Amino acid sequence: MSEIKNYMTPAGHAALQNELYQLVNKERPEIVQIVNWAASNGDRSENGDYLYGKRRMREIDRRIRFLTKRLQDAVVVNPETREPTDQVFFAATVTLERGNGAEQTVRIVGEDEIDAAHNKISWKSPLARALIKAREGDSVWLNTPEGREQIEILAVEYIKID
């Protein structure tokens, strides 16, 4: 196991496992079949199916190695089973008030789970780093390109993250 931990939620872990399963058991065997068929057709130098298939197989193998490493280093943190606290840690769902008065809810997730459309931010992001270890009711400072922004933590929950 490497020195750097790869924190993720159960949903994020399941998504990576599912992608790895699809690549190993569905996509790669189909590409191998196409490459073998294309190779049997003779001249490989101008055979588009063969050339594309070999390139796609390299891409799949690279992704399989990446996913295997990420899952090997995974530390799964389930927000539903952790003891209740008003302090912000990994897998927290945090409701906050931005400096401009806008209310926002963010979920602190692993690097492989980032989804801005659903307010899932990496635990390594500047916002999450500002929030980590702060408590409900605290104000924290976030350095942004526009300057320093004060953020107030309104609520901290540990609930299921899909």
Side-chain angles (χ1 to χ4, degrees), residues 64-75:
I64 288 171
R65 281 192 303 277
F66 174 79
L67 291 171
T68 301
K69 181 83 174 109
R70 296 300 285 172
L71 288 166
Q72 175 186 328
D73 296 339
V75 176

Side-chain angles (χ1 to χ4, degrees), residues 99-160:
N100 62 6
E103 203 171 285
Q104 180 182 13
T105 299
V106 296
R107 291 163 184 79
I108 301 175
V109 297
E111 293 178 281
D112 302 304
E113 304 173 77
I114 299 169
D115 183 355
H118 295 100
N119 291 320
K120 293 180 182 178
I121 63 171
S122 166
W123 65 281
K124 291 184 174 181
S125 70
L127 177 56
R129 290 168 66 139
L131 295 171
I132 297 279
K133 294 190 179 173
R135 295 183 180 278
E136 203 172 285
D138 286 354
S139 288
V140 297
W141 288 96
L142 174 65
N143 292 321
T144 69
E146 293 80 37
R148 287 172 54 97
E149 177 184 6
Q150 188 172 13
I151 296 173
E152 185 179 344
I153 301 171
L154 303 176
V156 177
E157 298 176 284
Y158 289 92
I159 55 177
K160 184 176 182 178

Side-chain angles (χ1 to χ4, degrees), residues 20 23-24 28 60-68:
L20 181 60
L23 289 172
V24 170
R28 192 174 193 289
I60 290 171
D61 288 345
R62 193 170 22 256
R63 184 69 180 165
I64 288 171
R65 281 192 303 277
F66 174 79
L67 291 171
T68 301

